Structure formats: C-alpha cells, structure tokens
Amino acid sequence: MGNSFDCWEMVGIGFVILFGTLLHFVYKCTNQNKIVGLFSPVNESVWEHLKMLFVPMLLYSAVEYFAVGNQFPNFIAGKVIGAVYGMITILIIFYTYTGITGRHFLWADILAYFFGVWAAFAYSWQIISQSDAGSATQCVALIVAMVLIVSFAVFTYYPPHIPLFLDPIHKVYGVPQKTSARPKS
C-alpha cells in the first residue's frame, strides 16, 4: 500500500470524526429540514447516531475513490464492509456498557463513536490491502450501501418501534415534533 493511500486514510479518520460530529447539530440548525434529516440525526436514538459514521464515510470514500481508491480492485467492498463494521462496533460498545451500567454516559458515547470510526477505517484498510474482491463482491457491496442509504431515509420517518430507534431523552421514534420558539400565552 502506498504512502498516498495511507495519508488519505489518516485524513479520512479525522474527516469522518469532525464531519460526523458536526452532522449531530445540522438538523436542528436547519430548523428541522426534512431533507437534511435524511442524512443527519433527527433525534438521540442509537440508529440516528449511526448516520454520523455512515454518511461522512460514504462521502469521503467517494472522493477518495477518484483520488487513489480506483487503483485497488476491492476498494468499494472494503469501504462498505468497513462502514458496516464500524457501525456494528458502535452498537456493541454502546449496548454492552449500557447493559452493564444501566445508563449511558456522554463521554462513553463519544469514545464509542471515535472507536467505531477507527474500526471502520482499520477494517476497510485491511480488506483493501489484503484481499482481491471480484466484481460480484463489489456489486454486493454496492447493494449493501444502497440498502443502508434507503434504510436510513425510511427509518428516519417510519422507524420500527424497537429500542434501537427510540430517542431515550424525548421518548419518541423518528422525527420529533417541531417546537415553537414563541412562548405560549
């Protein structure tokens, strides 16, 4: 693996962490814009927070593909599998520590996110550098990416009523009701 690709990967980790963190606030800052809600967390559910890893990694990987990734026959599969691995890592960490402690801590959630991003890039790098995926594998990876994109969009507005989709703070599923800035008289 060339130094150029390694640099892109290191920058990618920083980009995903920074952009994903900013995504956490974009929905509210855009006055709860429905289109923004498709790719930005709309509530505090675990599901919505997975967008903070998936969306920036998808965007960065698209740019990275045209810069250096197209040199690797399994780049797409590596990035998609890496993103899924990172999201699963976040889920495992979150549900393990909250299962043990009975509550969640912001600092632990942040660490789970950072570790999930690192795991996503580490795993994708391993796949890209050590295996040679065929066109069928690349095609399956693209299908998985499309299923995730559609799932994030659909479940933002029509989430199943299971704990993964429940906002533990506001006790809502999916998009919360807009709050009026005017005081009631």
Side-chain angles (χ1 to χ4, degrees), residues 38-179:
L38 295 173
F39 59 86
S40 178
V42 299
N43 66 35
E44 295 298 322
S45 71
V46 176
W47 172 258
E48 287 295 314
H49 280 75
L50 294 177
K51 291 177 184 177
M52 293 169 52
L53 184 148
F54 183 75
V55 171
M57 187 156 180
L58 180 71
L59 293 174
Y60 187 80
S61 296
V63 172
E64 185 182 23
Y65 176 81
F66 291 107
V68 293
N70 55 9
Q71 301 169 28
F72 303 99
N74 54 342
F75 180 84
I76 295 169
K79 289 299 179 175
V80 172
I81 294 167
V84 170
Y85 188 80
M87 291 187 297
I88 290 170
T89 300
I90 290 171
L91 293 173
I92 290 170
I93 292 170
F94 177 80
Y95 284 114
T96 300
Y97 96 77
T98 57
I100 292 169
T101 65
R103 54 184 290 212
H104 83 90
F105 301 96
L106 180 60
W107 63 266
D109 295 344
I110 292 168
L111 285 177
Y113 173 65
F114 288 172
F115 191 72
V117 171
W118 176 83
F121 275 87
Y123 198 69
S124 72
W125 184 89
Q126 184 178 19
I127 292 169
I128 291 167
S129 67
Q130 294 182 0
S131 64
D132 187 16
S135 59
T137 304
Q138 297 289 73
C139 190
V140 169
L142 286 171
I143 291 168
V144 168
M146 294 306 292
V147 166
L148 283 168
I149 291 167
V150 169
S151 295
F152 278 124
V154 170
F155 294 152
T156 292
Y157 295 101
Y158 305 100
H161 286 221
I162 60 174
L164 177 66
F165 299 92
L166 176 64
D167 176 341
I169 296 170
H170 302 103
K171 305 295 185 212
V172 297
Y173 294 92
V175 178
Q177 296 296 320
K178 279 191 177 184
T179 55

